[in-house]
Amino acid sequence: MLAQRGPRASSRRGLGSQPPTVLPGRCPLETPTEGFCTPLFQAGPLERVKEAAAMVCWALRRVGLARAHLARKASGVCRGHEHQPLGPRPAAPGAPGSAVELLGKSYPQDDYSNLTRKVLSKVGRNLHNQPQHPLWLLKERVKQHFYAQYPGRAGTPLFSVYDDLSPVVTTWQNFDSLLIPADHPSRKKGDNYFLNATHMLRAHTSAHQWDLLRAGLDAFLVVGDVYRRDQIDAQHYPVFHQLEAVRLFSRHQLFAGIKDGENLQLFEQSSRSAHKQETHTLEATKLVEFDLKQTLTRLMTHIFGDGLDVRWVDCYFPFTHPSFEMEINFHGEWLEVLGCGVMEQQLVNSAGAQDRMGWAFGLGLERLAMILYDIPDIRLFWSQDERFLKQFRVPDINQKVTFQPLSKYPAVINDISFWLPRENYTENDFYDLVRTIGGDLVEKVDLIDKFEHPKAHRVPVCQRVSCCRCGGARQASLN
């Protein structure tokens, strides 16, 4: 939901219509006997797709040979490591007119469909529900805190928890229900994974917010996997996990215990300002904001310990106002950990809770876990390597864990040069191609050169692909 890697204003359609073409001239991937790359800018679309894929495959084969060499040197480390199967691979997305099977349902495909095998293989893994996984540990710590701190009537928990909702949602749930404008950059195909024009993999757990409010809930947590097309580095992955919370207040609940509270109101008709919405009174807004910040400060103190320095940064989200990002000072560095705010009353009203107002927040589990457990690379959360998993098998979910690195080997680097298509291309198209072919072996992709050719009036680029620093010992765990 809020504040977890805000979507970038990237562009338009997927790689299928016009892939990158290879830059003529000397190629950083050439073999000693080849000398020059084949100029593909005159080839047809199908040939360009095949050649671009072949280039990446060839580069990754080189990486495989290097890794095999490192593995032989580290045979003592690799002994006893077994490949663990990931189960059957789902069918690859097809052309418009075909269908994709996902979680027991069939979705017809159209021009919006842009899912890759790599992403589809992650659906249903539900790392946050796998006992003793670091994301599960963190989820359970948050649940434990909310259950203990906020009891409801008769001692039952005030907040209900939903951690197994389907990641397939409608575009209305993901965008329109949250008042996200039609021209907002977060809607772009280049930033999301669509099954078709009407269904997608949720980009945030907020996609369920309206439905749960409509069902009559006024305090809940939602935890789940979310999907966004993004760059390739140690901090970004096309699948990550969010935890979000919502709480609504009636007039009686909000003003209980406040002096002269019986004379205060939740709503008024005035003008919107930087401090409140046009339908909220200033008194109600300040009380909701105070409760939100107090709730989050207590939560972060529960996770990171006493004496934590916190600061709040004003920001913008379409579904809250005022809105804030929470930052904590951890080991001398200020780190953004979540986004939050007072819920837009239009959203609350449309869900049938016209007599209430409330707050919402959302945090990324991977981001917090990387800080808390000192995990350096987001890909590690998908590891099936026993050396990684056993570090988090602890008798107490609150036990301190510091991740111990699995390998010391340096990265293997390959540079790939190609012309950018004249239109309908985003960097995420290239990232998806690399991820589909290279899997989690690819650690990072950097743009190292780009210019506009003065005669061709086209833009060639050079992307540097860095592959797993872990040597052969981690191949099975990352792929």
Side-chain angles (χ1 to χ4, degrees):
M1 171 194 156
L2 311 154
Q4 171 65 36
R5 290 214 318 261
R8 300 186 309 277
S10 56
S11 63
R12 303 168 286 269
R13 287 189 301 166
L15 185 65
S17 57
Q18 191 176 9
T21 55
V22 179
L23 178 66
R26 191 108 184 144
C27 173
L29 292 181
E30 67 195 17
T31 65
T33 58
E34 287 174 332
F36 290 87
C37 289
T38 304
L40 295 182
F41 57 93
Q42 294 177 340
L46 180 59
E47 288 75 13
R48 292 200 301 270
V49 170
K50 291 180 179 178
E51 193 70 21
M55 283 183 62
V56 180
C57 286
W58 187 84
L60 292 170
R61 280 197 297 273
R62 285 182 58 193
V63 175
L65 292 173
R67 288 169 56 241
H69 175 69
L70 292 174
R72 286 192 295 270
K73 284 189 174 183
S75 58
V77 176
C78 299
R79 288 192 191 102
H81 184 76
E82 296 182 359
H83 293 246
Q84 299 185 26
L86 297 182
R89 300 176 73 181
S98 61
V100 62
E101 302 289 333
L102 187 60
L103 300 178
K105 295 184 178 180
S106 179
Y107 298 91
Q109 297 192 279
D110 56 27
D111 289 338
Y112 249 73
S113 306
N114 65 350
L115 284 172
T116 65
R117 270 203 183 101
K118 179 67 176 176
V119 170
L120 284 171
S121 71
K122 304 299 185 184
V123 178
R125 290 282 296 275
N126 297 326
L127 301 183
H128 61 290
N129 288 336
Q130 295 183 15
Q132 305 307 128
H133 191 279
L135 298 183
W136 177 87
L137 290 177
L138 188 54
K139 180 196 75 170
E140 291 300 310
R141 291 184 67 175
V142 174
K143 282 173 55 179
Q144 180 189 70
H145 172 75
F146 272 88
Y147 284 171
Q149 292 292 319
Y150 307 99
R153 296 176 182 177
T156 58
L158 175 65
F159 284 82
S160 52
V161 178
Y162 298 86
D163 59 8
D164 59 354
L165 300 175
S166 172
V168 179
V169 297
T170 66
T171 53
W172 186 89
Q173 288 173 301
N174 199 79
F175 301 121
D176 301 279
S177 72
L178 297 168
L179 312 179
I180 297 176
D183 59 349
H184 195 273
S186 67
R187 287 179 174 262
K188 290 187 175 183
K189 183 178 176 181
D191 287 328
N192 299 284
Y193 288 106
F194 288 90
L195 281 83
N196 52 42
T198 59
H199 289 81
M200 63 185 296
L201 296 179
R202 62 189 170 206
H204 42 203
T205 48
S206 305
H208 304 287
Q209 196 176 99
W210 189 93
D211 295 298
L212 294 174
L213 291 173
R214 188 70 173 177
L217 299 174
D218 56 12
F220 54 85
L221 303 177
V222 180
V223 193
D225 45 337
V226 298
Y227 300 78
R228 297 185 196 171
R229 303 180 73 192
D230 216 327
Q231 65 199 72
I232 300 177
D233 59 31
Q235 306 295 320
H236 296 88
Y237 200 77
V239 193
F240 56 103
H241 298 74
Q242 285 188 336
L243 182 150
E244 109 163 31
V246 167
R247 185 175 184 184
L248 299 184
F249 299 88
S250 66
R251 176 175 172 272
H252 172 74
Q253 290 171 327
L254 188 61
F255 296 126
I258 302 297
K259 184 179 180 179
D260 298 325
E262 65 275 8
N263 298 321
L264 300 176
Q265 302 295 325
L266 296 179
F267 306 112
E268 67 179 9
Q269 290 300 321
S270 59
S271 57
R272 177 173 291 236
S273 70
H275 306 290
K276 70 177 212 63
Q277 299 173 37
E278 60 273 20
T279 56
H280 293 161
T281 64
L282 184 60
E283 296 84 0
T285 300
K286 289 302 180 183
L287 282 174
V288 171
E289 180 182 325
F290 175 79
D291 186 88
L292 168 64
K293 292 180 176 179
Q294 189 178 56
T295 297
L296 291 173
T297 300
R298 283 198 292 256
L299 174 61
M300 290 299 125
T301 299
H302 170 71
I303 294 175
F304 292 99
D306 295 329
L308 189 69
D309 289 330
V310 172
R311 69 184 183 189
W312 305 92
V313 179
D314 294 339
C315 63
Y316 166 78
F317 301 114
F319 28 82
T320 56
H321 181 78
S323 302
F324 313 96
E325 289 177 345
M326 182 185 193
E327 297 183 353
I328 63 171
N329 192 303
F330 192 70
H331 296 329
E333 182 180 0
W334 284 103
L335 304 170
E336 176 207 333
V337 292
L338 58 84
C340 60
V342 178
M343 296 180 68
E344 281 285 353
Q345 195 61 36
Q346 182 183 343
L347 188 163
V348 177
N349 290 349
S350 69
Q354 297 91 335
D355 61 338
R356 297 168 184 260
M357 63 181 293
W359 52 249
F361 75 80
L363 57 85
L365 288 179
E366 280 89 346
R367 175 173 293 180
L368 278 188
M370 291 175 79
I371 298 170
L372 182 65
Y373 301 129
D374 199 23
I375 297 174
D377 194 316
I378 195 170
R379 296 174 302 159
L380 281 165
F381 291 106
W382 296 92
S383 175
Q384 294 183 317
D385 193 320
E386 181 64 16
R387 295 171 301 162
F388 173 77
L389 296 174
K390 71 180 181 181
Q391 297 185 40
F392 300 94
R393 296 194 184 112
V394 292
D396 181 359
I397 61 174
N398 296 301
Q399 181 174 323
K400 179 177 174 59
V401 178
T402 301
F403 169 71
Q404 300 300 314
L406 305 182
S407 179
K408 61 183 179 181
Y409 294 108
V412 177
I413 294 174
N414 288 273
D415 293 345
I416 302 177
S417 300
F418 54 91
W419 293 105
L420 291 184
R422 297 184 187 276
E423 59 181 10
N424 300 331
Y425 170 82
T426 73
E427 283 192 337
N428 285 336
D429 296 331
F430 181 69
Y431 299 149
D432 272 350
L433 175 64
V434 171
R435 278 193 171 109
T436 297
I437 297 172
D440 288 342
L441 172 65
V442 181
E443 178 180 58
K444 188 178 182 182
V445 174
D446 290 311
L447 177 66
I448 61 173
D449 197 11
K450 178 179 180 179
F451 75 101
E452 183 173 353
H453 195 283
K455 294 183 178 180
H457 299 293
R458 297 189 63 185
V459 178
V461 299
C462 184
Q463 297 274 11
R464 173 159 292 168
V465 181
S466 304
C467 294
C468 182
R469 285 196 177 100
C470 305
R474 218 171 81 195
Q475 179 179 3
S477 65
L478 287 178
N479 286 324

